[in-house]
Amino acid sequence: MNKKFFIIFAFISLPIILFTLLVNKKNKFLNNLYFDSPFLFVRKKQCKNYDYLLNKSLDDSFSVSIIDEGGNIISEYNSNKLRIPASNLKLISTGYVIDKYNPYDSLNTSLLKDSKANLYLIGSGDPDLSLKDINNLIKIKNINKYTNLYIVEVNDDIQWPEGWTYNDKLYNYGAPITTLAINSNQNNYIDNYYLKNYIYNKLIENNPNSKINITILNYKNSLKRSLRSFKEIKSNTILSFVTLANSESHNFTAESLFKNASRSWQENDYTKLYNWLFFRGLPVQGIIINDASGLSRSNKITTKLISTFLYKMRFNRNFKSYNSSLSILGVRGTLSNKLRNSNISGKFFGKTGTLSNVFSLSGYLYKKNKTYIISIIQNSNKVDVNRTFKLLSDIYKLDNCV
């Protein structure tokens, strides 16, 4: 009986203790413990001035959520309605990535050997990978007279996530997601067969008397375990790629980062992202995630999820790096040309999202030494981008909660 009482008491008291310890938000260990916990400390607080602004400014095509730095939901409008988020989904997927990695880790493109001296070229989806890098990797003299080289790459049928349209695939922003991505996110991408011929010619050039056989092999996570490293090229840092994904909204980079962090190059499966959110107590009921970049029209999430995620992300051990990756209103990235000469310029760190019939804007608004988390999504055949930015500006001008 005493044991049961203790367990029940501990279960009830743990979130209260955590919340009490987190009030000053200075202990990084406790902050991250809270981030990883299944508890979410947010509560509704009535702010009539914020509610009035949303009600007079918006129609049913909008969803909005606003949370203050204390975890108070100070206003919301259709916040539980499932919407297509466009690139605002990158805020979540890059949060997953920055949580899994040290921000200064890198992605590696490797040439490996097996016990029979066969060579394997294995990439990690480095967005900056070039033919010059490949040439440096395969610049080998005095290889065996008979040499097999395997180019390891994902299957053709999983190079685009579900929901990417035929037209998407014709443009730079819809380039295939591959581990050896020469000219990443460009529609004139170099395919496996071009790469195969290029490598063959370079190897023959350096080893004219060798017989070289090059084969394209399907990617498997387990393959590297039986191989030893021979040569390697390191990419730029994970943080630089997270910044590219968020600030410049680079689709290929967002997808590549997620596939590396989740070890899912063999499949288009975003269950790990859903579960990661669920086990941190975030509101995932009914949501659909079919890619990491937000290009899929089948994605459906809520502003409540985005805003509570951004609120809880402030407790993550790598939040400073994450926050530094975002666009800055009037200053940098996809927000650089918006409200440049206004009072709000430089005071909103966030992310835009744009598809046909979709516009989204979410992030952190800094005003009067306080932080507000804002998420706005409009799904409509008459999307009004200016209306969204006017709303953001009006929120900035509002006094404290009344």
Side-chain angles (χ1 to χ4, degrees):
M1 185 71 177
N2 289 337
K3 187 176 179 181
K4 283 185 178 180
F5 174 79
F6 177 78
I7 292 171
I8 293 170
F9 176 78
F11 184 79
I12 294 172
S13 61
L14 180 60
I16 298 170
I17 294 168
L18 266 177
F19 180 72
T20 303
L21 290 170
L22 288 167
V23 169
N24 62 17
K25 299 183 176 67
K26 290 181 180 179
N27 188 306
K28 289 184 178 180
F29 173 78
L30 290 175
N31 284 347
N32 203 71
L33 184 64
Y34 168 53
F35 176 80
D36 284 332
S37 78
F39 306 112
L40 177 65
F41 301 124
V42 294
R43 55 208 169 277
K44 181 71 176 173
K45 179 180 180 181
Q46 188 173 25
C47 295
K48 293 181 180 178
N49 51 340
Y50 282 83
D51 290 342
Y52 176 75
L53 174 62
L54 297 192
N55 287 325
K56 78 167 186 176
S57 303
L58 305 175
D59 58 44
D60 197 50
S61 67
F62 281 88
S63 290
V64 179
S65 297
I66 307 172
I67 303 177
D68 69 17
E69 61 186 18
N72 298 300
I73 302 170
I74 59 175
S75 194
E76 53 189 346
Y77 188 94
N78 289 334
S79 64
N80 289 309
K81 191 164 185 176
L82 292 167
R83 302 284 193 186
I84 301 171
S87 283
N88 267 203
L89 189 59
K90 290 185 178 80
L91 291 168
I92 295 175
S93 67
T94 58
Y96 177 91
V97 171
I98 209 81
D99 182 54
K100 298 294 181 182
Y101 282 108
N102 180 311
Y104 299 100
D105 285 344
S106 59
L107 304 178
N108 300 325
T109 303
S110 306
L111 193 64
L112 302 102
K113 279 186 175 182
D114 64 16
S115 58
K116 297 180 180 179
N118 295 314
L119 299 171
Y120 296 77
L121 179 61
I122 302 179
S124 300
D126 177 358
D128 296 329
L129 190 68
S130 67
L131 284 176
K132 182 180 178 181
D133 294 325
I134 297 296
N135 193 34
N136 289 336
L137 271 177
I138 63 171
K139 194 178 286 184
I140 312 166
K141 290 187 177 181
N142 302 319
I143 62 174
N144 292 346
K145 186 176 181 181
Y146 297 97
T147 297
N148 292 314
L149 186 146
Y150 297 96
I151 298 173
V152 181
E153 190 53 277
V154 298
N155 289 334
D156 290 349
D157 59 352
I158 61 166
Q159 290 184 1
W160 287 277
E162 180 184 335
W164 289 29
T165 68
Y166 174 80
N167 285 336
D168 289 333
K169 298 171 188 178
L170 298 177
Y171 291 92
N172 295 352
Y173 62 78
I177 314 304
T178 59
T179 60
L180 294 164
I182 313 297
N183 296 341
S184 69
N185 227 11
Q186 295 186 22
N187 57 357
N188 60 336
Y189 64 91
I190 294 173
D191 65 19
N192 292 336
Y193 300 99
Y194 181 98
L195 189 58
K196 178 180 176 181
N197 291 331
Y198 178 85
I199 292 172
Y200 177 82
N201 290 332
K202 289 295 181 181
L203 285 175
I204 287 294
E205 186 179 307
N206 292 322
N207 302 273
N209 297 319
S210 294
K211 184 176 180 181
I212 298 165
N213 179 55
I214 299 180
T215 305
I216 297 171
L217 192 66
N218 288 338
Y219 186 98
K220 290 182 180 178
N221 286 333
S222 60
L223 185 60
K224 280 188 178 182
R225 296 173 195 164
S226 60
L227 305 174
R228 67 183 188 277
S229 181
F230 180 53
K231 293 179 76 175
E232 190 173 76
I233 290 177
K234 290 187 177 296
S235 72
N236 287 317
T237 64
I238 293 295
L239 177 56
S240 71
F241 292 144
V242 170
T243 302
L244 181 61
N246 279 333
S247 186
E248 302 299 333
S249 208
H250 202 263
N251 291 331
F252 175 92
T253 301
E255 297 293 341
S256 173
L257 285 171
F258 177 76
K259 284 184 174 290
N260 280 290
S262 62
R263 294 179 56 81
S264 60
W265 277 109
Q266 291 178 230
E267 57 193 348
N268 286 326
D269 185 1
Y270 299 87
T271 306
K272 286 184 179 178
L273 183 55
Y274 177 96
N275 289 340
W276 181 74
L277 295 168
F278 174 80
F279 287 113
R280 280 154 186 79
L282 293 159
V284 295
Q285 296 85 354
I287 70 165
I288 300 170
I289 300 177
N290 279 326
D291 68 9
S293 60
L295 185 55
S296 175
R297 273 77 171 171
S298 56
N299 293 319
K300 294 290 178 67
I301 63 176
T302 65
T303 57
K304 184 175 185 179
L305 172 60
I306 296 174
S307 60
T308 51
F309 168 76
L310 290 174
Y311 169 74
K312 203 172 189 191
M313 193 66 197
R314 294 177 70 233
F315 296 88
N316 187 278
R317 68 190 182 283
N318 289 326
F319 174 71
K320 285 186 178 179
S321 295
Y322 176 78
N323 193 46
S324 74
S325 77
L326 302 175
S327 293
I328 305 174
L329 189 69
V331 177
R332 185 181 75 185
T334 56
L335 286 168
S336 61
N337 294 320
K338 298 295 184 182
L339 302 177
R340 180 176 287 177
N341 298 316
S342 68
N343 291 335
I344 196 176
S345 178
K347 296 174 182 175
F348 179 78
F349 288 53
K351 180 89 193 69
T352 58
T354 306
L355 290 171
S356 55
N357 301 330
V358 179
F359 185 72
S360 54
L361 178 67
S362 301
Y364 302 98
L365 176 64
Y366 299 96
K367 67 170 184 171
K368 299 178 181 177
N369 297 317
K370 293 183 179 180
T371 305
Y372 295 82
I373 297 93
I374 298 171
S375 180
I376 307 168
I377 301 178
Q378 185 185 19
N379 286 180
S380 172
N381 58 7
K382 295 181 180 179
V383 164
D384 190 342
V385 174
N386 291 331
R387 197 170 170 188
T388 295
F389 282 103
K390 184 180 185 308
L391 176 62
L392 180 65
S393 183
D394 289 343
I395 291 170
Y396 180 75
K397 294 172 187 174
L398 276 183
D399 294 327
N400 291 333
C401 178
V402 177

